[in-house]
């Protein structure tokens, strides 16, 4: 898909890219806007707008990994507005963010829009669905140049809002490729009173592997998570009621493998950059076909196989877009060990303190006699860092960190629970 689009794309036309989740849309639009950015121009040349902060942060990570010479700032609700304002004074070449926060910055004139000529509206359908049309309209109408628009979606777009003023649209539609994803679908019938028990039995039959459990309400996610924890299934929770720091910590635990079960609302159906999710469980059926597609798109990624389980109370009321085989839970007869083997540590220092991944590796090896291969995924943010370490080493690291420094900075280290 990526090669086809990049070869055929016409920079003089507005673009719509329709493709299943996990097929590389992010890389396509980043490469497209990079090819049209000018290193000799100082100022913001492009915007990437996403419906969720998680997706914005994911795109920022991909952009930074590419190690271009262009500066980038990520803006989203829940983050410090003043901190973003200070960064924007440097007129970054690229700004990535959510519609509400980007429109707020433009309204307050903390984003200079004079030379912006490229706008990406990633997961455009979701931005419309959750009510960001007015904010997107304000952003587009605030841009003075003749801009190029790049829309992406994992579901079909039948109409386009008038405010986009799209002209001569070039459409790349790869949605038919979704049928080729290596995903198996299963229906598990369960009464309301037995649902939690059946979920536990299903997990025990699947084994301890990366799994997303979707619910429709945040209260249900908490109920499910508490029940699993009481039954020794370590998990973490993600829903819209969390503050940004708590969302970040939940995602870090899941993405670095220190927790294999994430119980979440549809917030997690977009923006999770984890290619090894083996199973998606719909504890509650999604409210729309679009949500169903995006949830399922979290598994079967990067040429891997995946399984989707739908827990239903009545098989006669299954939406027509769902096609799944009946499933009966069968015990493998083997006892599955669900005890966590790693732990995610929070470190109160990051890029602003000139701390990098190498500094953290060296620090851990020094105070705990770890080998580099024992240390898991490290993520360094502006003000904090996260690292996965063997669970038996976590207490030693925390205790010894009281007398040690990273890059001459005294940091606080604690385990995320």
């Amino acid at each position: 898909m990526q090669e086809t689009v990049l070869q055929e794309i016409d920079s003089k036309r507005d673009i719509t890219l329709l493709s299943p989740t996990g097929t590389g849309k992010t890389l396509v639009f980043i490469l497209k806007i990079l090819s049209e950015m000018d290193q000799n121009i100082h100022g913001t040349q492009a915007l990437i707008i996403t419906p969720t902060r998680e997706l914005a942060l994911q795109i920022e990570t991909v952009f930074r990994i590419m190690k271009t010479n262009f500066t980038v700032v990520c803006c989203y609700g829940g983050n410090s507005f003043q901190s973003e304002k200070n960064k924007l004074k440097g007129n970054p070449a690229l700004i990535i963010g959510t519609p509400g926060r980007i429109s707020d910055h433009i309204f307050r004139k903390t984003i200079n829009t004079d030379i912006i000529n490229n706008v990406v509206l990633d997961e455009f359908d979701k931005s419309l669905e959750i009510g960001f049309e007015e904010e997107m309209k304000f952003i587009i109408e605030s841009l003075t140049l003749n801009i190029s628009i790049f829309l992406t979606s994992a579901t079909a777009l039948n109409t386009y809002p008038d405010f986009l003023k799209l002209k001569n649209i070039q459409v790349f539609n790869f949605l038919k490729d979704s049928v080729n994803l290596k995903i198996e679908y299963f229906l598990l019938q369960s009464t309301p009173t037995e649902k939690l028990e059946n979920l536990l039995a299903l997990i025990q039959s699947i084994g301890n592997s990366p799994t997303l459990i979707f619910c429709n309400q945040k209260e249900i996610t908490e109920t499910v998570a508490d029940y699993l924890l009481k039954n020794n299934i370590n998990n973490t929770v993600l829903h819209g009621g969390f503050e940004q720091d708590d969302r970040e910590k939940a995602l870090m635990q899941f993405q670095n493998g220190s927790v294999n079960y994430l119980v979440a609302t549809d917030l997690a159906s977009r923006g999770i950059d984890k290619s090894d999710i083996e199973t998606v469980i719909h504890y509650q059926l999604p409210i729309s076909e679009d949500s169903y597609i995006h949830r399922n798109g979290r598994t079967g990624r990067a040429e891997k196989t995946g399984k989707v389980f739908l827990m239903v109370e009545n098989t006669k009321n299954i939406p027509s877009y769902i096609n799944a085989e009946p499933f009966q839970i069968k015990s493998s007869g083997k006892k599955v060990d669900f005890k966590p083997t790693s732990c995610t540590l929070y470190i109160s220092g990051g890029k602003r303190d000139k701390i990098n991944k190498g500094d953290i590796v060296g620090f851990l090896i020094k105070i705990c006699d770890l080998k580099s291969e024992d240390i898991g995924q490290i993520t360094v943010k502006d003000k904090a860092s996260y690292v996965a370490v063997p669970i038996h080493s976590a207490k030693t690291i925390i205790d010894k960190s009281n007398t040690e420094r990273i890059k001459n900075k005294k940091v606080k280290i604690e385990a995320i629970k």
Side-chain angles (χ1 to χ4, degrees):
M1 184 273 286
Q2 296 172 351
E3 185 176 349
T4 300
V5 176
L6 290 170
Q7 285 178 347
E8 298 181 10
I9 205 165
D10 185 345
S11 61
K12 297 180 181 179
R13 300 172 66 181
D14 292 320
I15 308 297
T16 296
L17 175 55
L18 307 175
S19 180
T21 55
T23 52
K25 293 190 290 293
T26 300
L27 189 58
V28 170
F29 64 66
I30 286 179
L31 289 173
K32 191 265 184 184
I33 61 176
L34 277 174
S35 70
E36 298 171 15
M37 291 170 72
D38 189 339
Q39 189 70 54
N40 297 315
I41 295 177
H42 179 66
T44 302
Q45 302 175 52
L47 288 176
I48 299 176
I49 301 171
T50 78
T52 67
R53 63 191 76 179
E54 288 76 19
L55 188 52
L57 289 165
Q58 178 186 322
I59 295 169
E60 181 195 21
T61 298
V62 173
F63 186 83
R64 290 190 183 280
I65 288 173
M66 296 174 72
K67 296 187 182 302
T68 73
N69 291 321
F70 294 104
T71 53
V72 60
V73 170
C74 193
C75 304
Y76 49 88
N79 198 26
S80 165
F81 187 92
Q82 185 60 47
S83 175
E84 292 175 356
K85 179 180 176 181
N86 292 338
K87 293 178 183 178
L88 291 168
K89 289 178 180 178
N91 288 317
L94 172 65
I95 298 173
I96 305 168
T98 51
R101 182 52 66 92
I102 294 292
S103 63
D104 196 13
H105 276 296
I106 291 176
F107 178 76
R108 296 169 186 263
K109 302 187 184 304
T110 49
I111 288 179
N112 187 333
T113 62
D114 290 349
I115 61 170
I116 294 174
N117 57 14
N118 257 307
V119 177
V120 176
L121 298 171
D122 191 27
E123 305 285 17
F124 181 64
D125 57 322
K126 184 64 175 179
S127 290
L128 289 176
E129 179 187 323
I130 58 182
F132 281 132
E133 181 167 348
E134 286 302 315
E135 288 84 353
M136 289 189 293
K137 179 181 179 181
F138 174 75
I139 293 168
I140 297 299
E141 293 180 347
S142 298
L143 306 180
T144 56
L145 295 184
N146 185 23
I147 61 171
S148 172
I149 293 180
F150 193 125
L151 301 177
T152 82
S153 175
T155 55
L157 297 175
N158 298 318
T159 59
Y160 301 93
D162 292 339
F163 72 82
L164 292 175
K165 299 179 182 177
L166 298 179
K167 52 197 177 300
N168 196 19
I169 307 171
Q170 185 179 18
V171 179
F172 296 92
N173 190 341
F174 296 91
L175 293 179
K176 62 182 183 298
D177 294 350
S178 62
V179 299
N180 298 321
L181 296 177
K182 300 175 182 178
I183 301 176
E184 297 179 284
Y185 298 86
F186 302 98
L187 278 178
L188 175 60
Q189 192 166 3
S190 178
T191 64
T193 56
E194 297 174 336
K195 205 168 186 180
L196 284 170
E197 293 178 14
N198 286 338
L199 173 64
L200 178 62
L202 175 60
I203 289 172
Q204 290 170 333
S205 71
I206 292 170
N208 195 13
S209 60
T211 299
L212 263 172
I213 303 170
F214 281 108
C215 306
N216 294 339
Q217 295 89 28
K218 59 185 180 182
E219 294 81 9
I220 302 299
T221 65
E222 299 283 358
T223 298
V224 170
D226 288 344
Y227 179 83
L228 293 180
L229 194 59
K230 288 175 183 176
N231 286 276
N232 302 314
I233 307 294
N234 199 30
N235 67 86
T236 190
V237 184
L238 180 66
H239 58 64
F242 283 175
E243 295 295 331
Q244 177 58 24
D245 285 350
D246 294 325
R247 290 193 194 187
E248 197 169 82
K249 290 174 182 178
L251 283 174
M252 289 299 166
Q253 287 179 285
F254 186 60
Q255 291 184 171
N256 67 26
S258 59
V259 170
N260 271 337
Y261 293 89
L262 177 62
V263 187
T265 58
D266 281 331
L267 184 66
S269 67
R270 310 184 191 224
I272 290 186
D273 187 19
K274 185 174 175 64
S275 63
D276 63 344
I277 297 174
E278 296 185 14
T279 308
V280 167
I281 299 174
H282 299 266
Y283 184 78
Q284 292 178 297
L285 290 186
I287 59 175
S288 69
E289 184 175 3
D290 285 359
S291 295
Y292 180 68
I293 291 170
H294 283 287
R295 287 181 180 188
N296 298 340
R298 296 303 102 194
T299 190
R301 297 163 71 91
E303 302 299 318
K304 294 183 175 66
T305 59
K307 291 183 178 181
V308 171
F309 293 89
L310 299 109
M311 301 188 70
V312 298
E313 297 172 16
N314 187 343
T315 56
K316 294 181 180 179
N317 296 327
I318 303 299
S320 59
Y321 55 79
I322 292 176
N323 183 17
E325 295 292 325
F327 180 80
Q328 295 291 328
I329 299 173
K330 295 180 182 178
S331 173
S332 64
K334 298 178 181 179
K335 186 175 181 180
V336 181
D337 186 3
F338 287 95
K339 292 180 180 178
T341 58
S342 66
C343 170
T344 300
L345 297 181
Y346 161 85
I347 302 173
S348 65
K351 294 175 184 175
R352 287 188 178 183
D353 308 296
K354 309 299 182 185
I355 292 174
N356 59 39
K357 293 181 181 180
D359 298 323
I360 293 172
V361 170
F363 174 79
L364 295 176
I365 291 174
K366 175 184 175 183
I367 70 171
C368 197
D369 197 27
L370 286 174
K371 297 179 180 178
S372 58
E373 57 265 32
D374 296 328
I375 301 169
Q377 180 177 312
I378 300 173
T379 302
V380 181
K381 300 284 189 177
D382 278 350
K383 299 180 182 179
S385 302
Y386 303 88
V387 57
V389 299
I391 197 163
H392 57 77
S393 302
K395 187 176 186 304
T396 300
I397 294 169
I398 293 169
D399 290 343
K400 290 189 175 181
S401 67
N402 292 327
T403 58
E404 299 289 341
R405 293 174 179 265
I406 303 179
K407 275 280 183 74
N408 294 320
K409 175 179 172 62
K410 184 72 175 68
V411 296
K412 178 182 179 182
I413 298 181
E414 58 187 19
I416 298 177
K417 298 180 180 178

